[in-house]
Amino acid sequence: MSSSLLSQCLVPMDNGDMELLLDVKPTGSISDFVEALDNCTQRISAVHVHRIFMKELKAEEQAAIFDCFHNLNEISISFVTIPMALVAKVILRSQQLQKISLDRVVLISDPSNAQDDVFFSALQGLDSLEDFHFALSTTGTAPEGQKLSFQADHELDTLFQSLSGIQALKKVFVSVGPNTVGRANVRPQTLEALLSNASVEDLALVNFPLHTQHCQAIVEAGSQLESLSLLNAECGNDGATVLANALQQHEETQLTNLRKLCLPGNNITNAGGARLAKALTTGQSKLEVLDLHANQLTKAFGSDLAALLEQNTSLRFLDVSNNKLGDKGVQAIATALRNHNTTLEQLNLFDTQLTNASCHAFAGALRNNTTLKKLNLYNNTKIDATGVQTLASALEFHNYTLERLEVTKKSVRGVDESGLDLFLKLNRDFKRGTMLASNLNEVEYVEGMAAAKNDVSSIFYFLQAKPSLCC
């Protein structure tokens, strides 16, 4: 019976251990399930618990199941309302934990004792922890006699203090709900301690009010950072300027290793955006990903981005979606892609108030550009079939590298979607430019066609493109 109860939940891992997936409604009695876990002879080193499994369990049944978890390397809990004490108990029994993921959880505790302190103390003892993911949900309610944790001003700061002594820590993601902004108080010196004492390479903070002092603390202590994401963090132009100065100066003690910078929803205007663009244009930064979506950037910022793309040789991904760039701003970007840039691979312009004029500009860019692989023009509702057809024509006859084009569904009405999809697929799956290269011999060409297998439309295209090599 034990074997059958666990058979649907256990997954073998590469190292010979087992992974326990509790993501479906349990069958049979919980007492039998707990007994099966207790009697399991295989080592379970990773546990994933989802709301679907937990939602109908009584408090004592939850406790009985969590009592079975010990000596874990990884614990993941998602969409669950759970006592903080249960999580702390697992941590205390698994001091070799390497990854903790508490994703959109509601943590509750008994107001009559110091369960929160036990949780923080348990974290401090995790010398091997490398990855900490904590997304706090604020939509839940505490049962009678319990209280919601992380409601006091100091608790999130205490959380970061607990993490700051873990030298193995490489990745930290902490998200709080938008309703907790007033309580998401983390002091600049706490952030500085976290980055100074640990080995954090990837830091993501969501819905934290971070101001100039916080950004300065990150700059001064974050020389090892490779990825920095501050989402809806109220950084504004002042925070953007602090980060831009660090990127431009590129001193050894600052953001030397940064490859990814995400600052969406930070009320950054053209002034702050221009400082960031200039830093990446004139500095020695090796940044590959820049995400500025959902800020307050307008058409004037387009020229700053164009200057950036003309000179920068490291940027691979650029997202300026949900900004009011308009055709004028985006046409400057397209010109830079047509005449200068040879490194950008993905450009996101979702909901940037574009019309067919921008499609014509990008069609011109696609005639020359050979590196852009993904272009997102979705939710620009003034783009219609005329604009999309211009892009499709550029794809058919001139561009062999664009692999994905996102446009609003109604924008392709009247366009031969099958033809558009075909050329994107040929670029994506068959590297059309390589296939049509003049130095490709007959054997190589036929071998390339063989990869199409039963894809009749692709085979037919290549037969038409070089009929002499196939006869």
Side-chain angles (χ1 to χ4, degrees), residues 211-288:
H211 306 301
T212 306
Q213 299 91 332
H214 295 91
C215 293
Q216 192 62 50
I218 291 171
V219 164
E220 291 177 357
S223 60
Q224 78 282 8
L225 279 175
E226 296 179 5
S227 175
L228 175 62
S229 301
L230 307 176
L231 289 73
N232 302 326
E234 303 180 11
C235 292
N237 288 339
D238 291 340
T241 299
V242 170
L243 297 172
N245 289 340
L247 290 169
Q248 189 164 14
Q249 294 171 7
H250 207 65
E251 297 177 359
E252 291 184 2
T253 56
Q254 298 191 334
L255 302 179
T256 310
N257 296 305
L258 200 67
R259 298 293 183 268
K260 178 180 178 180
L261 178 61
C262 299
L263 299 172
N266 277 286
N267 299 316
I268 298 172
T269 67
N270 291 344
R275 293 187 183 101
L276 285 167
K278 183 178 179 181
L280 298 176
T281 301
T282 60
Q284 302 176 34
S285 170
K286 297 179 181 178
L287 200 73
E288 297 178 2

Side-chain angles (χ1 to χ4, degrees), residues 278 321 337 339:
K278 183 178 179 181
S321 300
L337 291 174
N339 298 331

Side-chain angles (χ1 to χ4, degrees), residues 20 22 77 108 134 156 266 276 300 322 328 345 349 368 373 386:
L20 182 63
L22 302 181
I77 305 172
I108 57 176
F134 182 69
L156 284 165
N266 277 286
L276 285 167
N322 299 108
K328 186 174 181 180
E345 296 178 0
L349 295 167
N368 291 347
K373 295 180 180 179
T386 301

